[in-house]
Amino acid sequence: TRSPNIRNFSIIAHVDHGKSTLADRILEQLGAMGERDKRDQTLDTLELERERGITIKSTPIRLQYVRPNGEEYVFNLIDTPGHVDFNYEVSRSLAACEGVLLLVDASQGVEAQTIVNAYLAIDNDLEIVPVVNKIDLPAADPEGAAAELEEVIGIPADNAVFASGKTGQGVPEILEAIVEHIPAPSGDPQAPLKALIFDSFFDAYQGVILFVRVLEGTLNPKDQIHLMNAGKSFEVDKVGTFSPGLVVGDTLPAGAVGWVAAGIKDIQDAQVGDTLTGKESRTAEPFPGFKPAQPVVFSGLYPTDTEDYRKLREALEKLKLNDAAFNFEPETSEALGFGFRCGFLGLLHAEIIQERLEREYDLDLIATAPAVVYRVTLTNGEVFETQNPAEFPTRDRIELVEEPYIKLSVMVPEEYVGPIMQLLQERRGAMQTMNYIGKRVELVYEVPFAEILYDFHDRLKSISRGYASMDYEQIGYREGDLRKVDILVNNEVIDALAVIVHETKTYSLGRKIVDKMAEVIPRQMFPVPVQATIGGKIIARATVKAFRKDVLAKCYGGDITRKKKLLEKQKKGRARMKQFGTVEVPQEAFLAVLANE
Ligand code: GTP
């Protein structure tokens, strides 16, 4: 059975190819609110999303479309997050659709995210409606962009709709293409319930609100439902649709996109990708591809002011209520005091959380260097995972270390291919393929994930004068020769500065941190050694020179014995300082070193 008059679709595009503008135009043409600023209040809910121009949450909208021939349709437009950190969320949003509009900027052509997103759609068996956008631009080459789509992704160029989100040109054709090319949802409304969760958020009054696509059966208030992966059951309070915003309705039959409130208190129980079914009459199989939200990047967060520890914990707890992918646990650092080890989906996710803590909760934070999760096999056969340099064992206890790898796709104009390949080489990348697409090249590399955490994107952009684009996916673990580098100030290990790094990079990184640290530590009464070590062996050192307190200045003239005595005294003083003193390393020093590793 099909619901012939429903179309569930999403718009996918490379960043800045005009997704939001086109979505706006579609909304406007269908009589929903149109202007960007209104939309901002509805679709893009977070202030940060607006500022950064990226979508973090997928927000659906239900629209009415009346064809020129009078037939009426319901369109569910499901917005998707626009960043690789959230690719799993994107894939679940796509799984809720039957088709996508694949947008390409007519002046830019196919970019890295265009390709990755197109494959996400293909993996989900979706119908793709190609749209060449921004055709009003003077530099637009719509035929060229369409030809690239055909060449790279295999979508016939003839199928492309030429459009402009700015002028509205081509939008009526897009609406018709949605009806004609994207299949109606199928699914038996009488079958046992099967619904996919593609997003959720926490509401203080109603608990977790699930965004669902009903695949089979019908979802009603008072239904007893069961979450198949979480293994928990709940009673439905309310169901409804998005218009935009939550509108209460009475039922969600197969094919529908809507929301459910079921008094769920913990967002961990209602993860994206899980399947809802009836508590009594269950569907045979959950929707495939569920992955529990799992952080892949970790970093320590410490309040600059130790008084703020409790405030930080409360803020983290609040953020976690709404974010199943974020986790944290208390951690103590000798250098930074009490803080939390936090896990994120990626660097952007980490930055977003940090910024929200600083803005919404008015906290001042220090973050330690981001780290990936390593898998360590010890000589005694024990295997464990760790992302914390503090837990990384010494060389003699390690049998094998494995680190996460990604498949990285970079699109770049051909004149920059050389320097980009060199950059990837420096980052321990191994080339897989190289494809020419007109005057541009797609490079596909396998690279250790850790290698792109430190200013990779910035380097890529500056080398290519902004023209390169990238996207990636995780591809599992590979063996790597990794070491822990410790940093010592005045012979004491500064735990917060330890890093895990590939054997080939220990010296250069050790040197860099040591020099930087020596630069930012204020001079003391005695020289302070700063060292980088591996398993106790020094690999780099620098010295913070002592003040030379000019004791001799006091004795005019030539009483040599007096001079000697003074010098003697000063030497003793130095020794005492060394003996008693740990060096006061100001927090700015950590900030300087941690800020741009
Ligand atoms: P992300 O949300 O960051 O992925 O970006 P987006 O794909 O939603 O792009 P957005 O709609 O924000 O547009 C990016 C830029 O392109 C903005 O400066 C728009 O004003 C401009 N733009 C979008 N569509 C058109 C178009 O059809 N013609 C022209 N000339 N400019 C456009």
Side-chain angles (χ1 to χ4, degrees), residues 13-22 36 39 44 52-55 82 103 105 113 133-138 163-167:
H14 189 75
V15 63
D16 276 348
H17 281 201
K19 190 172 84 168
S20 310
T21 309
L22 185 75
R36 183 107 190 190
R39 201 189 97 84
D44 290 1
R52 289 166 172 254
I54 44 160
T55 314
L103 229 61
D105 183 325
Q113 271 182 295
N133 190 34
K134 303 199 191 180
I135 55 168
D136 62 291
L137 283 176
S164 162
K166 191 170 174 187
T167 66

